[in-house]
Amino acid sequence: MLKVLVVEDEEMIRKGIVLAVDWAAMDCVVVGEAANGVEALEAVERLNPSLIITDLKMPRMDGIEMLRCLRDRGNHVYVIILTAYDSFTYAQSALRLGAVDFLLKPFHDGDLEQAVTALRRRMGGAEREEPALPGLKKGDKSKYVLEAMDYIGKHYQDPNISISDIALDLGISEGHLSRTFKKETDYTLLNYLTRYRIHKAMELLRDCRVKVYEVAAQVGYRDITYFSATFKRVTGVTPSEYQDTSGNRREKL
């Protein structure tokens, strides 16, 4: 899973990138935001992102200077540059410093997703993959797999949900359902359930008024310790760290 840091001084654009892009479908999670290069460098130290999506022209420190500082520190995080300035010089500077892509604002729907997807292909599975939320593109799934995914979507809050429950509801054997689901999604049913629950937990944790133990209960976990450990395994950060990052960023806006 790629941990993403979004760096953009314009709040509306930054929030659009964070909230409008389906990061989970690309096996990514946004772990932090920053309004300029200085904040971004601090966030990198705390969050250790895999990918930075950054504007070029920002107050205090622009994207090029931030990228130069990262490289001077020996940090080779992937970087995708966003800029409204169609400048070949800027593009050259970013690419020389190892930016993997360069998008001009205003970019169109799907452009950023294509850039991230292209990066994932280039990476070629070199980094260890962690669970996210599979199966969002349902067009190539069979009836039983679609029904199993729908069942999980309706019952994920039940801490007692099991493969046998799903198979019984669908009217097929556990073995057949498990084999079919794994073949079509590359994930076991239990892995998919975990991913779905954590995906929902991330949505809930963006509201800093909600307690972590409340989120755990709402997504089907009785044991908050187990929930926290699972959340960190999936996203790379604890529920509290994820919530604090979102909350601190909102307070600064």
Side-chain angles (χ1 to χ4, degrees):
M1 169 172 282
L2 284 181
K3 297 190 293 181
V4 181
L5 174 66
V6 178
V7 187
E8 166 64 63
D9 62 312
E10 295 185 37
E11 178 185 352
M12 290 184 63
I13 296 176
R14 185 172 69 249
K15 290 301 182 185
I17 294 172
V18 172
L19 300 176
V21 174
D22 192 348
W23 294 105
M26 298 184 291
D27 208 6
C28 299
V29 58
V30 175
V31 295
E33 304 172 40
N36 56 65
V38 174
E39 289 185 10
L41 292 175
E42 296 172 353
V44 167
E45 292 298 317
R46 296 195 318 272
L47 304 171
N48 190 29
S50 315
L51 170 65
I52 298 175
I53 311 290
T54 183
D55 189 18
L56 204 57
K57 187 173 176 59
M58 298 178 291
R60 298 185 67 187
M61 180 185 290
D62 65 20
I64 295 297
E65 185 59 27
M66 176 198 71
L67 184 51
R68 184 175 291 112
C69 288
L70 287 171
R71 300 316 187 213
D72 288 345
R73 297 177 184 182
N75 189 317
H76 298 288
V77 60
Y78 295 105
V79 176
I80 294 177
I81 294 286
L82 311 174
T83 183
Y85 295 84
D86 189 0
S87 167
F88 183 66
T89 302
Y90 270 103
Q92 281 186 314
S93 298
L95 295 172
R96 278 198 299 267
L97 289 167
V100 296
D101 214 332
F102 188 87
L103 299 179
L104 291 175
K105 296 188 296 185
F107 47 89
H108 302 292
D109 289 346
D111 286 351
L112 181 55
E113 290 90 334
Q114 289 179 6
V116 175
T117 300
L119 170 60
R120 299 307 300 261
R121 286 199 298 266
R122 289 171 55 183
M123 291 167 63
E127 70 174 59
R128 181 173 63 92
E129 296 293 332
E130 292 289 356
L133 182 61
L136 292 179
K137 295 182 179 179
K138 299 183 178 182
D140 58 347
K141 306 297 187 296
S142 67
K143 171 189 173 184
Y144 289 129
V145 170
L146 290 176
E147 290 180 351
M149 292 165 66
D150 288 339
Y151 186 95
I152 288 174
K154 294 174 182 176
H155 298 87
Y156 70 92
Q157 294 175 308
D158 179 1
N160 297 316
I161 186 175
S162 67
I163 297 176
S164 61
D165 293 332
I166 302 171
L168 182 63
D169 186 78
L170 270 57
I172 60 175
S173 70
E174 290 183 42
H176 180 63
L177 175 60
S178 296
R179 288 190 298 272
T180 303
F181 198 93
K182 181 68 164 63
K183 179 181 179 180
E184 295 188 19
T185 69
D186 286 331
Y187 298 100
T188 68
L189 273 163
L190 291 180
N191 281 341
Y192 180 85
L193 173 61
T194 297
R195 291 163 175 253
Y196 196 95
R197 283 172 164 167
I198 298 305
H199 180 74
K200 291 297 183 181
M202 289 163 57
E203 294 177 354
L204 294 170
L205 286 167
R206 294 189 184 117
D207 182 350
C208 294
R209 296 169 297 181
V210 181
K211 305 297 184 184
V212 172
Y213 71 85
E214 294 174 331
V215 172
Q218 289 182 55
V219 297
Y221 289 93
R222 292 195 182 99
D223 186 337
I224 188 173
T225 302
Y226 180 67
F227 166 69
S228 296
T230 302
F231 190 96
K232 185 170 184 178
R233 175 172 60 82
V234 170
T235 68
V237 295
T238 67
S240 296
E241 289 170 340
Y242 182 84
Q243 191 172 56
D244 288 346
T245 299
S246 300
N248 289 338
R249 186 59 50 212
R250 278 193 290 270
E251 290 175 3
K252 292 180 180 180
L253 298 176

